């Protein structure tokens, strides 16, 4: 009964970040909505300052979620979304699933040491580059597919897309810097971390991606952000850190903001080709990242084995030295007692 209650508690905690983001967003836009309602500005205030309010919301929400992630998920014993990874050989098909919390081993210690190695981090970061371009075409394919089945959603989707048509400094700061970090910390850091305490990694990844899709309040965006969230969760769980998903999200948004028209034009010329290309590039990035982590795990295994053997050798040497000292002392005491006996006999 206690286990069931604990699981339900962790599941409910997983919904809290979404509720907090909605509350902070409502509080950030409340002044503009009240001014528009009382002074009948015809939406002028809201349209003029919507980008500034988006940035203010993102910064405030990031402060809250950042403190939450640091204090509860990292310092509070949960270990975050990426700390529960089964240590396995590259050939193990179940290394994606999670293990119980709190397990520590020499391999995990070696992984933490290797995490500080810039060469390993750079190689893993480079492996996500194909997904930056691939996900652009995947999202276009999914949005067009949804609109083909539900054409009445096009007006709502066009309205949300029009908000980013006017690229300003405030919009760029929000879309490229603040929003990606906020969403990764909230969903891949906190939400995924809570869900992984009570369910497998795959189900937890799907759950956080569902909430990530609902967070965008748009049925078309909800579909492709769900897929995007699943890919991000994969990199987060595989990489045992949200830094790779943050990097991918920032680069994805930067490319979308700077080259959105060119990407869309290329896709509209050959939609089938670029849809397949997007899927292939995304799968390629995931495979390269998995291979990189498998190689990294193998190196960590070897390092842990060498460390264990080194400690065992040191223990043997220490025990041998103690035995030699003990034997020398025994021999010395025996010789001394024999001399004393001869002296008394004389």
């Amino acid at each position: 009964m206690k286990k069931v209650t604990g699981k339900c508690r962790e599941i409910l905690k997983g919904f809290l970040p979404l509720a907090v983001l909605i509350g902070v967003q409502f509080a950030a836009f409340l002044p503009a909505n009240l001014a528009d309602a009382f002074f009948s500005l015809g939406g002028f205030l809201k349209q003029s300052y919507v980008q500034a309010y988006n940035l203010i919301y993102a910064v405030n929400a990031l402060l809250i979620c950042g403190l939450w992630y640091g204090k509860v998920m990292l310092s509070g014993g949960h270990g975050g979304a990426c700390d529960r990874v089964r240590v396995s050989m590259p050939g193990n098909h179940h290394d994606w699933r999670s293990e119980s919390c709190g397990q520590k081993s020499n391999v995990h210690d070696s992984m933490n040491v290797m995490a500080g190695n810039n060469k390993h981090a750079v190689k893993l970061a480079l492996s996500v580059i194909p997904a930056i371009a691939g996900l652009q075409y995947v999202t276009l394919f999914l949005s067009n597919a949804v609109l083909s089945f539900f054409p009445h959603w096009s007006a709502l989707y066009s309205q949300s897309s029009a908000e980013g048509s006017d690229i300003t400094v405030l919009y760029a700061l929000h879309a490229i810097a603040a929003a990606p970090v906020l969403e990764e910390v909230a969903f891949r850091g906190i939400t995924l971390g809570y869900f992984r305490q009570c369910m497998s990694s795959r189900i937890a990844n799907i759950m956080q991606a569902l909430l990530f899709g609902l967070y965008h309040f748009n049925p078309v965006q909800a579909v492709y952000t769900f897929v995007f969230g699943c890919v991000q969760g994969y990199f987060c769980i595989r990489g045992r850190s949200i830094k790779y998903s943050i990097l991918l999200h920032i680069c994805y948004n930067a490319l979308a903001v700077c080259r959105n028209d060119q990407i869309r034009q290329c896709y509209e010329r050959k939609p089938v080709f670029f849809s397949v290309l997007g899927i292939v590039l995304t799968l390629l990035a995931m495979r390269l990242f998995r291979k990189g982590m498998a190689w990294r795990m193998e190196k960590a295994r070897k390092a842990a084995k060498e460390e264990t053997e080194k400690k065992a050798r040191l223990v043997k040497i220490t025990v041998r030295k103690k035995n030699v000292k003990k034997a020398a002392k025994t021999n010395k005491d025996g010789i001394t007692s024999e001399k004393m006996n001869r002296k008394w006999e004389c």
Side-chain angles (χ1 to χ4, degrees):
M1 187 64 183
K2 289 183 178 180
K3 290 184 178 180
V4 175
T5 305
K7 286 185 177 182
C8 293
R9 189 184 300 114
E10 296 298 329
I11 291 174
L12 291 176
K13 287 180 181 178
F15 287 88
L16 285 178
L18 177 61
V20 170
L21 292 181
I22 293 174
V24 175
Q25 192 172 22
F26 176 78
F29 282 93
L30 184 61
N33 291 330
L34 290 176
D36 190 22
F38 283 101
F39 297 102
S40 300
L41 299 177
F44 170 77
L45 186 64
K46 184 177 179 181
Q47 293 297 327
S48 301
Y49 294 95
V50 65
Q51 295 177 353
Y53 277 110
N54 277 330
L55 182 60
I56 292 171
Y57 150 70
V59 171
N60 290 323
L62 182 57
L63 289 174
I64 296 172
C65 292
L67 292 173
W68 189 351
Y69 180 71
K71 284 193 171 288
V72 179
M73 304 308 298
L74 297 181
S75 303
H78 284 76
C82 316
D83 202 29
R84 297 172 59 200
V85 178
R86 172 172 292 179
V87 179
S88 63
M89 298 296 288
N92 191 346
H93 297 287
H94 301 286
D95 58 353
W96 144 269
R97 296 181 181 273
S98 62
E99 280 190 341
S100 59
C101 295
Q103 276 195 327
K104 293 184 179 180
S105 65
N106 292 331
V107 180
H108 288 166
D109 296 336
S110 301
M111 284 290 292
N112 293 331
V113 172
M114 293 179 68
N117 193 326
N118 292 330
K119 291 183 179 180
H120 296 293
V122 169
K123 287 179 181 178
L124 289 172
L126 290 175
S127 65
V128 306
I129 290 179
I132 297 172
L135 285 171
Q136 301 287 341
Y137 297 116
V138 170
T139 53
L140 284 173
F141 164 71
L142 291 173
S143 60
N144 289 339
V146 173
L147 290 174
S148 64
F149 285 102
F150 304 97
H152 56 281
W153 287 351
S154 59
L156 182 61
Y157 180 65
S158 300
Q159 182 180 359
S160 63
S161 301
E163 294 179 358
S165 58
D166 185 16
I167 301 176
T168 62
V169 175
L170 292 176
Y171 176 77
L173 288 174
H174 171 258
I176 299 174
V181 179
L182 167 63
E183 292 169 357
E184 294 307 313
V185 172
F187 292 98
R188 259 66 70 183
I190 303 174
T191 301
L192 185 57
Y194 279 130
F195 284 151
R196 294 191 73 201
Q197 305 304 313
C198 54
M199 59 186 71
S200 68
S201 296
R202 294 183 181 183
I203 298 176
N205 191 31
I206 292 172
M207 289 289 294
Q208 66 83 19
L210 282 172
L211 295 182
F212 181 60
L214 293 174
Y215 166 72
H216 288 80
F217 302 106
N218 188 300
V220 180
Q221 284 183 318
V223 174
Y224 67 74
T225 51
F226 166 74
V227 176
F228 183 82
C230 287
V231 175
Q232 291 288 84
Y234 177 88
F235 285 115
C236 178
I237 295 171
R238 280 287 187 180
R240 303 186 70 223
S241 173
I242 62 173
K243 61 185 177 184
Y244 301 109
S245 60
I246 289 176
L247 174 65
L248 175 57
H249 203 154
I250 289 175
C251 294
Y252 172 86
N253 281 16
L255 184 61
V257 169
C258 299
R259 291 289 182 265
N260 185 48
D261 293 337
Q262 291 84 343
I263 293 172
R264 189 174 291 276
Q265 288 173 4
C266 292
Y267 180 83
E268 289 175 353
R269 290 173 188 169
K270 297 180 179 180
V272 177
F273 170 76
F274 283 104
S275 297
V276 175
L277 178 64
I279 295 172
V280 170
L281 288 175
T282 303
L283 294 177
L284 174 64
M286 295 170 70
R287 181 173 178 79
L288 290 175
F289 193 82
R290 183 174 66 84
K291 290 291 184 181
M293 283 302 301
W295 176 81
R296 190 176 177 185
M297 291 289 289
E298 182 63 21
K299 295 284 285 186
R301 276 183 173 277
K302 291 181 180 179
K305 186 178 180 181
E306 292 175 358
E307 185 68 22
T308 304
E309 291 175 353
K310 184 179 178 181
K311 288 180 180 179
R313 286 195 299 267
L314 290 175
V315 170
K316 287 181 180 180
I317 293 172
T318 305
V319 171
R320 190 178 301 167
K321 286 182 178 179
K322 287 182 179 180
N323 291 335
V324 171
K325 288 182 179 179
K326 188 176 180 181
K329 185 177 180 182
T330 303
N331 293 334
K332 185 178 180 181
D333 293 342
I335 294 172
T336 305
S337 61
E338 186 178 351
K339 287 182 179 180
M340 291 297 293
N341 291 334
R342 288 178 181 177
K343 184 177 180 181
W344 283 105
E345 288 176 359
C346 294

